[in-house]
Amino acid sequence: MRCLVTGSAGFIGFHVAKRLLDEGHEVVGYDAFTTYYDPLLKERRHAILEQRSGYRGHRANLEDLATLNAVWSEKPLDAVIHLAAQAGVRYSLENPRAYMDANITGTFNVLEMAQKYPVKHLMLASTSSAYGANIALPFREDDQTAHPLTLYAATKAATELMAHSYSHLWGIPTTLFRFFTVYGPWGRPDMALFKFTKGILEGTPIDVYNNGQMSRDFTYIDDLVEGIVRLMAAVPAAPSVVARDSSLSPAAPYRIVNIGGGMPVNLLDFIDEIERCIGRKAIRNYMPMQKGDVAGTFASCETLERLTGFRPSTPVKVGVKEFVTWYRSHFSM
C-alpha cells in the first residue's frame, strides 16, 4: 500500500510511519517541523525515517495547499493517516491562532484533497479532550461532545464534524480515532512523562496539578500504533449496512473509534512509577487544577476490540520503563 502520513516527524506519526515501513508499505511523509517544541527531536525522528527504503518525506505545513496538492496528486494513495496538528491543551490558551491554522485550515485542506483525489481509507486523529465536560466514565464514542473545555478540544471536535460532512457528501471512507494520553520513547517534551523524567533526573521540581488528584488513561505508543494499523483494514462501509455495524454513521461511511489504554492510572501512582524506574524521588510542587483540564479520562475500547480483535494492554510499569531507558540513552544520562 502507498500511505500518506501527515505529522510524520512528530511523536505518533514517526512511530506509525516506521511501523508501516516495517510491514513493507510505501510511506509518504509530510511535516511542517514547527517550533512548538525543540525541532531537533523532530529532525532526529525524520533522519531515522529517511534512512529507510520506501520512505519519502516532505517539509511543508498543511495550510500550504499548493504543496499539499502537489504531494497528494503525484501518485494514487491507498490510505491517508492524518496526524499533523497543533497539539497541547495548555498551549491553546497562549497561542489559539496556531490551533485554528493547523487544526481547522490544515484539516480542511486534507479533506479537500481526499475529495479531489479519492483514497480507499481516510484516517484522522482526534483526542479524548473532545469529550469535554462529559463526566460519564468510561468515555464511549457516542457520548456527548458538545461542551469542549479548551480551544484545542473545540478544534478537534470541529474536525470530526468536518470529516463527517465530507464523508457524507463525497462517500469518503473515514475513520476518526480519539487518542488517550499517548506516551513512550520519542515522546513530546511538553507531555507529563517527559517533563517528570527530566525533572527527576536533573533534580528540579515537577509541577503536580490538582494536587495529584487526577487520573489518565495512559496509552503506550506501541499499543496505539497497533490499533491504527489494524483499523486500516476496517474500512467503514456505506450506511446501507449500518444495521450490521452500530459504530457507523447512519449517513456516511464514517466512524469514530477510541484508542486508549482502558486502565486509568492515578497521577501520583504514575509519578511513583517514574521514581521507581529512575531510582530517585521527585521534588513535587503541588498546584491547583489548570484551566481547561479534567480530573480523569477513561476509554471504552469495545469498538476497537470488536473491529480489530485488539485491545491495548501494556501496563504503565512497562511503558514507563521503556521511556526512561530511551530518555537516558537519547540524552546520554
Side-chain angles (χ1 to χ4, degrees):
M1 292 179 66
R2 187 167 189 263
C3 307
L4 171 64
V5 178
T6 71
S8 53
F11 169 40
I12 296 173
F14 162 70
H15 282 279
V16 169
K18 191 154 66 71
R19 170 66 180 272
L20 293 174
L21 291 167
D22 289 344
E23 295 192 354
H25 300 294
E26 180 183 353
V27 177
V28 180
Y30 196 101
D31 201 287
F33 291 81
T34 62
T35 57
Y36 168 58
Y37 61 82
D38 186 358
L40 181 59
L41 195 56
K42 301 177 185 180
E43 294 288 355
R44 288 174 175 171
R45 298 185 191 116
H46 178 69
I48 292 171
L49 295 176
E50 287 273 274
Q51 295 172 2
R52 300 288 301 273
S53 174
Y55 181 79
R56 185 181 177 192
H58 300 269
R59 292 173 180 254
N61 61 42
L62 292 172
E63 300 94 291
D64 181 354
L65 183 57
T67 299
L68 183 62
N69 185 82
V71 170
W72 198 302
S73 63
E74 187 178 55
K75 187 179 175 182
L77 294 164
D78 295 299
V80 172
I81 304 176
H82 174 41
L83 302 168
Q86 177 57 62
V89 170
R90 291 159 192 161
Y91 187 60
S92 66
L93 301 175
E94 302 172 26
N95 186 9
R97 185 168 296 280
Y99 293 77
M100 299 303 294
D101 292 341
N103 299 359
I104 300 297
T105 302
T107 300
F108 167 71
N109 287 343
V110 167
L111 294 171
E112 280 286 280
M113 291 298 97
Q115 180 268 321
K116 187 176 181 180
Y117 307 105
V119 298
K120 294 177 183 176
H121 197 177
L122 175 62
M123 307 176 78
L124 304 93
S126 187
T127 172
S128 61
S129 295
Y131 288 104
N134 179 32
I135 59 173
L137 296 175
F139 294 154
R140 302 183 185 279
E141 292 89 347
D142 58 356
D143 283 347
Q144 174 67 256
T145 58
H147 304 107
L149 299 179
T150 63
L151 183 65
Y152 165 65
T155 60
K156 298 304 276 186
T159 62
E160 293 182 0
L161 298 175
M162 291 161 58
H164 183 273
S165 66
Y166 269 73
S167 178
H168 166 67
L169 292 169
W170 309 108
I172 304 169
T174 302
T175 296
L176 265 289
F177 12 71
R178 290 178 180 154
F179 297 156
F180 285 70
T181 315
V182 187
Y183 74 103
W186 294 99
R188 299 199 326 255
D190 64 316
M191 298 295 286
L193 178 56
F194 198 112
K195 292 193 290 187
F196 291 166
T197 299
K198 182 176 188 293
I200 295 170
L201 285 169
E202 295 178 356
T204 57
I206 63 171
D207 293 335
V208 182
Y209 293 101
N210 201 36
N211 297 308
Q213 300 308 304
M214 305 173 72
S215 65
R216 289 290 180 270
D217 198 346
F218 293 100
T219 311
Y220 188 58
I221 183 63
D222 289 356
D223 284 343
L224 183 85
V225 172
E226 184 69 28
I228 291 173
V229 170
R230 291 195 184 207
L231 282 169
M232 287 179 65
V235 182
S240 60
V241 296
V242 70
R244 286 180 282 158
D245 188 346
S246 60
S247 72
L248 282 172
S249 159
Y254 170 101
R255 65 162 59 93
I256 295 173
V257 182
N258 287 336
I259 308 181
M263 300 174 286
V265 176
N266 180 271
L267 181 58
L268 297 180
D269 293 335
F270 188 64
I271 296 171
D272 288 345
E273 191 59 51
I274 303 169
E275 291 174 336
R276 277 192 287 272
C277 287
I278 293 175
R280 185 183 303 174
K281 289 291 185 181
I283 303 170
R284 306 187 187 193
N285 179 29
Y286 291 99
M287 302 180 69
M289 180 83 85
Q290 285 199 315
K291 281 186 177 180
D293 220 339
V294 296
T297 63
F298 180 5
S300 165
C301 299
E302 293 176 6
T303 301
L304 175 66
E305 187 171 22
R306 178 173 57 79
L307 292 172
T308 68
F310 171 73
R311 177 184 287 265
S313 60
T314 303
V316 161
K317 66 180 180 180
V318 173
V320 167
K321 182 179 179 181
E322 290 294 323
F323 175 82
V324 171
T325 299
W326 167 81
Y327 187 96
R328 281 177 153 153
S329 173
H330 187 78
F331 293 100
S332 302
M333 300 185 74

